[in-house]
Structure formats: structure tokens, C-alpha cells
Amino acid sequence: MSNSDKRTAIVTGAGSGIGRAIALRLASEGTEIAVGDRDAEGGAETVSLIEAAGGKAENFCVDVSDNSAVLEFREAFRSSFGVANVVVNNAGWDLGMPFLETTPEFWQKVVGINYLGPVAICHAFVSDMVAAEVRGHIVNIGSDAGRVGSLGETVYAGAKGGVIAFTKSLAREMARHNINANCVCPGPTDTKLFFEQPEKIRTAIIRAIPFRRVAQPDELASAVAFLSSDEASYITGQVISVSGGLTMAG
């Protein structure tokens, strides 16, 4: 691959779960990966897995809810990679509880990570894409909670609904620069977060899914890989649920 053909991707929250699967999938297709995660140990493990498979990656410890840390991430990324072709905003966090039990501190954390994080990452990195006239792809990881609501995840659902609207508006602005922006909304997925829920809730969720199983992280990675490729060159501003049919939002 020549330097002009080189693809580089930023994947936030790539230290585990869906983010790690996305990083591994993109790396397997020849993309150089910047792993952005506040879990430095998890990020380093993802890099090791990529390198063991013959890929190239670098670990950057970053809290996406801290804009100064995001700007430092951009400077470090520029030194190592230059300009990104692909930006995947996967970092997210939530803690299920009734809305009336939540606190202002909780609201700030949920919105800071799940909504303002992608805004900050896009503002920092997409500006470089535009300045360098790079053909680019943005894939934001939303949630079906942001499309149809979710019991016990009201603030999170609001933040993810914001991600969906942000992605659509960004797609309109970036089209003139030949940059696509799309959103992937996972349903219940085989991650640590899912299995931290009580067994009764997990069982009820699985029964409600037409396929009668949760998604594997690789299945989310496949959707992201497609939307960040030239196969999706004429797709922008779209929201794709990968939920086994649990939700079928129009």
C-alpha cells in the first residue's frame, strides 16, 4: 500500500468490547489504527492483538469527555499518523437506573462521554480531514435506546438520540467535503456491560429478540467496516440498527 493509499482510523473506546472488535476488523483490512481509550491497559492489549495479527496500531490514553485531552490526542495522532481517513466514535458509558434516582453529576458524565465526546472528537479530527481535502468516513456508535427509548436508560437514551441527530446534521455539512457520516446503533451485545445486568433482565431481553440471542461484537464491527469503506461511498446521514430485530425503527 502506497502512502497515498494508506488508511488510518481513530477508534475510541477500543480497549474492549465492541470498540476492540471494530479496531481488529479495520486493522485486518489494512487500516492503521489509533486506539483511543481511557483504559490504558485495555488499549495496550488491543494494540498487541492487532500487531500479533500483522497490523499497525498505537495506543492513546484519552478521556473523550475532556476536550483538552481530545486536543492532546489530536496532536499526538498528527505526529504518528498525520490525517485520519476514518473516525469511529465508539466510547460510551451508562449505568441503568430509574430516571428519578439519577443525579446532576450522573447526567454530566453520561452526556459528556456519550454525546459531547463524539462532538469533540469530530471537531478536532474532521477539521484536519477538511483542511487536507481527505476522502473520509465518520461512523458514530449510537444506540437503539436513542431511537425508541429504553427503560432505566433515560439520560443515556437522550444522549444517544443527540448522537443520531448530530450525525445527520454533520453528514449534511460534510458532504461538500466528500466526507460521509453515518450512525450504527447496537442492540444488546455480548459484552461485559450486558452481563453485568441481572440474569432475569438478560433472559427477558434475549426472549424479546427475534433471533433469540444477543449480538457478537464482530457483527457490529462488520457494519462499521462497511460504512467506513468506499463500498458505502453514496451512503451518508443514515442510521443502521444492528439489533437482531429487537427494534425495527423506520
Side-chain angles (χ1 to χ4, degrees):
M1 182 180 293
S2 68
N3 287 335
S4 61
D5 294 331
K6 185 177 76 170
R7 276 170 50 92
T8 60
I10 296 152
V11 184
T12 67
S16 62
I18 294 170
R20 174 175 288 174
I22 292 168
L24 290 169
R25 173 62 181 271
L26 294 180
S28 74
E29 298 176 352
T31 303
E32 297 179 0
I33 306 296
V35 172
D37 202 301
R38 61 182 179 178
D39 176 6
E41 185 176 336
E45 185 175 342
T46 298
V47 169
S48 295
L49 290 169
I50 290 171
E51 292 178 339
K56 179 180 177 181
E58 187 171 340
N59 186 30
F60 300 86
C61 186
V62 59
D63 178 354
V64 299
S65 68
D66 179 348
N67 191 57
S68 62
V70 169
L71 294 177
E72 289 175 7
F73 175 29
R74 181 182 65 181
E75 293 307 310
F77 176 87
R78 282 172 172 170
S79 297
S80 295
F81 295 96
V83 179
N85 306 93
V86 177
V87 173
V88 180
N89 280 299
N90 168 78
W93 179 84
D94 189 30
L95 186 63
M97 68 178 77
F99 172 66
L100 296 181
E101 294 180 13
T102 62
T103 64
E105 293 75 20
F106 176 79
W107 308 337
Q108 294 294 332
K109 184 173 182 178
V110 170
V111 173
I113 295 173
N114 294 289
Y115 177 65
L116 293 179
V119 170
I121 289 287
C122 285
H123 195 271
F125 288 92
V126 177
S127 61
D128 281 0
M129 283 185 186
V130 172
E133 298 183 345
V134 167
R135 173 82 178 94
H137 297 269
I138 302 160
V139 183
N140 293 325
I141 305 302
S143 170
D144 274 354
R147 304 189 81 181
V148 301
S150 179
L151 186 68
E153 295 184 305
T154 300
V155 179
Y156 175 79
K160 289 299 190 179
V163 169
I164 291 169
F166 169 68
T167 303
K168 291 179 178 181
S169 297
L170 187 64
R172 292 186 182 277
E173 289 198 30
M174 291 300 113
R176 73 193 68 178
H177 300 293
N178 211 21
I179 297 171
N180 301 56
N182 292 288
C183 188
V184 171
C185 289
T189 306
D190 185 2
T191 62
K192 180 182 177 181
L193 185 63
F194 178 75
F195 285 96
E196 286 177 350
Q197 298 183 75
E199 183 178 358
K200 183 177 180 180
I201 292 176
R202 298 200 310 267
T203 300
I205 289 172
I206 292 171
R207 284 177 178 167
I209 299 170
F211 281 135
R212 299 294 190 270
R213 66 173 179 85
V214 296
Q216 294 301 308
D218 287 347
E219 292 175 305
L220 275 302
S222 293
V224 173
F226 169 67
L227 289 173
S228 61
S229 75
D230 288 337
E231 296 296 314
S233 60
Y234 202 59
I235 300 174
T236 198
Q238 302 305 305
V239 183
I240 297 178
S241 292
V242 183
S243 64
L246 176 61
T247 54
M248 299 185 183

